[in-house]
Amino acid sequence: YAAKESGGGVRVFQPRMTTQIQRRLLIENQLREAIDKKILQVYYQPKLHTSDGHVIGMEALIRWEHPTLGWVSPTDFIAVAEETGMIGEITQLVLYEAMRQQTRWAAEGYEVSVAVNVSPVEFRQGDFVAIVREALSVTGCCSKFVELEITESMLMADSSTIQTILASLTSLGVRLSIDDFGSGYSNLGYLQKFPLDSLKIDRTFLSDGEISPVIDMIIGIARTLCLTVVAEGVETIEQREFLIAHGCDQLQGFLFAKPLQELHATQFLKTYAEPGNRWSHRAIVST
Ligand code: C2E
Ligand code: MG
Ligand code: MG
Ligand code: MG
């Protein structure tokens, strides 16, 4: 079928275009149902300390397995959730689940932190600080074990409002980290205005087993600002060696583990808690 363009001409819809629109609508409807039916799951990807390979934290990553669509990537449905306002529910779900999991791990003697990705949209809507405060109090999770991963773009958006929110969040005791650092527009001068704890190097700098020279520069920036520096997307031994040699503090990537379901994440913690069994002594764990 055809649609009229604003210019008056007639443009024929490409079949691919309709498929994309249909998929978008399908995701929107199905996501609503997935949230209501509690089908979304939280997976955890370990972050290891470079010094001795102990697990320092777990990043919570949302997972959605649809009965017919299969695994839908968060990069696809998070965007839909942001546009439709469902992101708030998703963030709360992940916050509560990750905090509950943290308390279970702590109770078993594993003092790992949990990191939750926060969408810029969520940050601008409602009272995010109150949501986090409430989640901490309901779950009984200790705030120093909670990290929020925010994006660079968030810091650039509206500095005074964001500064107030971030200051309130740090006064709750949670830690703040910049995700995908170096992937967007970075105003380096801004960085020191915010109460940040760590900086995650965007994984594009480690794509296809390569090591971008930019990594060295980013580690330098982190050092200057006294921030912990984390590399995500570590896939090869060579990348790991390089990052250790150049002073990166924490490593995360498929080389160590993919995002794992709760049970496997707990097994990972147990396995690597043994000092003689740290990553530096062991082969790759596959999922
Ligand atoms: P992110 O927070 O930067 O997460 C890292 C992504 O890289 C994850 O993809 C992870 O599975 C993937 N990854 C980790 N190590 C490797 C590696 O060694 N190689 C490769 N090729 N990939 C690796 P995932 O889980 O598909 O998430 C994609 C993005 O979606 C996340 O990027 C984050 O921005 C967003 N996201 C995921 N879960 C949530 C959530 O609960 N809330 C929000 N707001 N966003 C989320
Ligand atoms: Mg992240
Ligand atoms: Mg990232
Ligand atoms: Mg990313």
Side-chain angles (χ1 to χ4, degrees), residues 16-17 33 52 109 168 189 220 251:
R16 206 167 62 89
M17 213 194 260
E33 205 179 305
D52 62 354
S168 310
L251 307 175

Side-chain angles (χ1 to χ4, degrees), residues 42-59:
V42 178
Y43 274 44
Y44 298 91
Q45 189 181 28
K47 288 186 205 173
L48 279 66
H49 203 280
T50 31
S51 64
D52 62 354
H54 77 271
V55 181
I56 198 151
M58 291 281 192
E59 178 177 3

Side-chain angles (χ1 to χ4, degrees), residues 63-105:
R63 288 292 178 265
W64 178 18
E65 188 178 17
H66 186 273
T68 55
L69 296 171
W71 292 95
V72 186
S73 163
T75 36
D76 290 338
F77 72 83
I78 290 291
V80 174
E82 286 173 343
E83 287 164 34
T84 55
M86 288 186 266
I87 190 67
E89 288 171 76
I90 293 179
T91 308
Q92 288 214 29
L93 181 156
V94 180
L95 267 179
Y96 278 80
E97 190 50 47
M99 286 184 188
R100 289 205 171 94
Q101 187 58 59
Q102 199 288 327
T103 62
R104 287 194 286 268
W105 282 328

